[in-house]
Amino acid sequence: MQLRNDIRNIAIIAHVDHGKTTLVDQLLKYSGTFRENEHVDERAMDSGDIERERGITILAKNTAVKYGDSTINILDTPGHADFGGEVERIMKMVDGVALVVDAYEGTMPQTRFVLKKALEQKLTPIVVLNKVDRPNARPEEVIDEVLDLFIELGADDNQLEFPVVYASALNGTSGLEPEDQQETMDPVFKTILDHIPAPIDTREEPLQFQVTLLDYNDYVGRIGVGRVVRGTIKVGQQVVVLKEDGSQKSFRVSKLFGFIGLKRIEIQEAVAGDIVALSGMEDLNVGETVCPADHPDPLPWLRIDEPTLQMTFVVNNSPFAGKEGKYITSRRIEERLLKQLETDVSLRVDPTSSPDAWTVSGRGELHLSILIENMRREGYELQLSKPEVIIKEIDGVKCEPMERVQVDVPEEYTGAVMESLGERKGEMLDMSNQGNGQVRIEFKVPSRGLLGYTTEFMSQTRGYGIINHTFEAFEPVIKGQVGGRREGVLVALENGKASTYGIMNLEDRGVIFITPGTEVYAGMIVGEHNRENDLTVNITKEKHLTNVRSATKDQTSTIRKTRDMSLEEALQYLSDDEYCEVTPESIRLRKKILNKNEREKAAKKK
């Protein structure tokens, strides 16, 4: 059995914010991939606007570095549970993983999720303990936690013998001991070359290439990125693509690209073990296998975990429809959703009985809200219903998604957090005192209990708490009401502009969401009521002018700070009879039935 010792394929996996993308930056820098004077952005792999703004990785991306005579293909993956589909599909492209763990925080819910996926694929792990320069770093304890996690997830003997490299990706230092930190990434490179298996050289056999990531280029059309599993592929070669339904389509490979650093370079051929991009076929999709026409041999289809959350996307029909967006028709919205399906493997779009509404299912609130944020930036207008968890029937029993939740809170807030998660049908699994005034508690909570919980958690812990959660499993549905909003809302009575006088009159009734001068329409939600019922209010009311002088005339009117909601907060806030209207410039909340009398009739019928 011949091996290709000149190449290694590795994925970098970790919990969110443990330093994957920063580590890739340093590997690129210290490998000599860039020229001495070349300018490279921080977190160079996070190329999307939203990725840069939020400091998170959303899409899996690949790069390659030269180290000595070897090429190391590196795949950077997202850390958020909502983008788990990105992690699952690239596991087929690599032979090993570098698990990055924060030397202070230790193993987190997402560490468990990504490691489980890697061990299931029998990949070889190495552990990079990052941020060893943090003041409270506890490297020895964290390595024990990692070992416990490996054992708990059923790692085999070879996987348990993982090597450990200690690093501080931010400072660009690494070493084989926590105290011995040198300004180099050599220990990481050497560990990868010594421990990650080299791909088997099968260049003489018939071609097999599986598409794992998709890209698009205006000049060459759709580009499929994947690994040559077997054989050789050349520019100009006639091949067939094997579809999921068993059909075949033939095409000619028009271009082949290899990767080096952040650039794509045109190459003429690639052999087994290489990660490359190819173009020439317009209708290429994730999971499909490219083979020679005389030897069709499909690879197993990529299995991706099912979505857990769904919401309805509806064409905008509010009184302000079409004022701010370019694309508002059902045809344009449907085209955009179907285009998203081509690259996002964990998304589902299903038609409903109405031609103006679609059920969109994803892996979580963040997954769906990033899609919505991208659409509004592109000029789309739409309305969204309250997110709902997907109930699945397993062996005749209705089951709902459960999440593993880990909270880190100062000691004095543990009571409030335990009580609120208990109300949301959370079951406590573990509690440990970190010794520095921080307590770490693990719960198992139904996903629907976590909808909208983050805001409540932040106010309970005065902003000092940290909450992380990841999908655990589908379990039988828990009876009774779980979570949900308790307060009613303030609803505008008529169209017009919100006035300072109108807002001041309502401040005793609750929290206002809009500022003076904002255009409102009848049925739009303008605030939160301090009681449980909804209240229709006149927020456009002006002060009557009289010819009587007022002693306090020169006083300036001051109003309390209004609550400004981000897209995620607005989606979490929704109730069953409400929509969130999203346009390129505004996020508004509204009642599904705008007319006050019709709303009251519908409520009575209920």
Side-chain angles (χ1 to χ4, degrees), residues 276-513:
V276 292
L278 64 87
S279 67
M281 172 79 178
E282 258 314 295
D283 187 20
L284 207 58
N285 285 309
V286 168
E288 295 173 348
T289 310
V290 174
C291 298
D294 56 357
H295 200 289
D297 182 10
L299 285 156
W301 203 259
L302 294 174
R303 195 192 68 78
I304 302 290
D305 281 357
E306 292 291 308
T308 57
L309 196 73
Q310 65 184 30
M311 57 204 301
T312 311
F313 283 42
V314 186
V315 172
N316 190 6
N317 59 4
S318 86
F320 291 172
K323 282 190 174 180
E324 296 169 0
K326 278 195 295 190
Y327 309 121
I328 53 174
T329 59
S330 58
R331 185 176 66 87
R332 293 309 285 262
I333 293 171
E334 185 170 39
E335 274 174 12
R336 177 65 182 82
L337 290 173
L338 295 177
K339 183 182 164 204
Q340 186 70 22
L341 280 181
E342 294 172 358
T343 52
D344 191 339
V345 288
S346 37
L347 195 74
R348 303 266 184 288
V349 177
D350 301 303
T352 62
S353 52
S354 156
D356 289 346
W358 304 265
T359 304
V360 180
S361 315
R363 292 287 277 269
E365 290 161 289
L366 187 65
H367 183 195
L368 292 172
S369 73
I370 295 280
L371 165 65
I372 297 158
E373 181 62 42
N374 275 323
M375 285 177 71
R376 69 181 281 230
R377 288 182 183 201
E378 290 162 20
Y380 288 84
E381 269 190 29
L382 59 151
Q383 296 181 137
L384 310 150
S385 73
K386 175 188 172 185
E388 292 171 354
V389 299
I390 295 173
I391 306 290
K392 252 169 76 167
E393 198 164 295
I394 302 172
D395 303 332
V397 182
K398 284 191 171 174
C399 294
E400 65 175 329
M402 302 292 279
E403 309 240 347
R404 180 182 281 256
V405 179
Q406 182 173 305
V407 296
D408 290 277
V409 290
E411 282 171 0
E412 61 265 33
Y413 303 127
T414 48
V417 170
M418 284 161 73
E419 186 185 344
S420 66
L421 279 170
E423 281 172 4
R424 291 165 178 265
K425 304 286 191 280
E427 175 194 337
M428 192 167 94
L429 305 173
D430 187 32
M431 181 172 175
S432 59
N433 196 320
Q434 307 283 9
N436 51 3
Q438 288 284 100
V439 180
R440 176 171 287 187
I441 321 172
E442 279 198 23
F443 293 91
K444 193 164 74 177
V445 188
S447 295
R448 59 193 164 122
L450 289 174
L451 292 178
Y453 176 63
T454 316
T455 330
E456 186 184 324
F457 173 79
M458 281 305 170
S459 49
Q460 274 173 351
T461 60
R462 308 283 184 277
Y464 287 112
I466 300 170
I467 183 167
N468 287 290
H469 54 90
T470 182
F471 170 72
E472 180 82 353
F474 274 93
E475 291 188 11
V477 171
I478 293 174
K479 289 188 172 67
Q481 173 70 22
V482 178
R485 188 180 82 207
R486 294 195 187 95
E487 296 81 8
V489 287
L490 304 174
V491 187
L493 175 68
E494 57 190 13
N495 300 5
K497 273 189 179 171
S499 65
T500 311
Y501 180 68
I503 290 176
M504 285 177 76
N505 277 343
L506 294 174
E507 284 185 330
D508 301 343
R509 296 299 181 95
V511 183
I512 307 296
F513 295 164

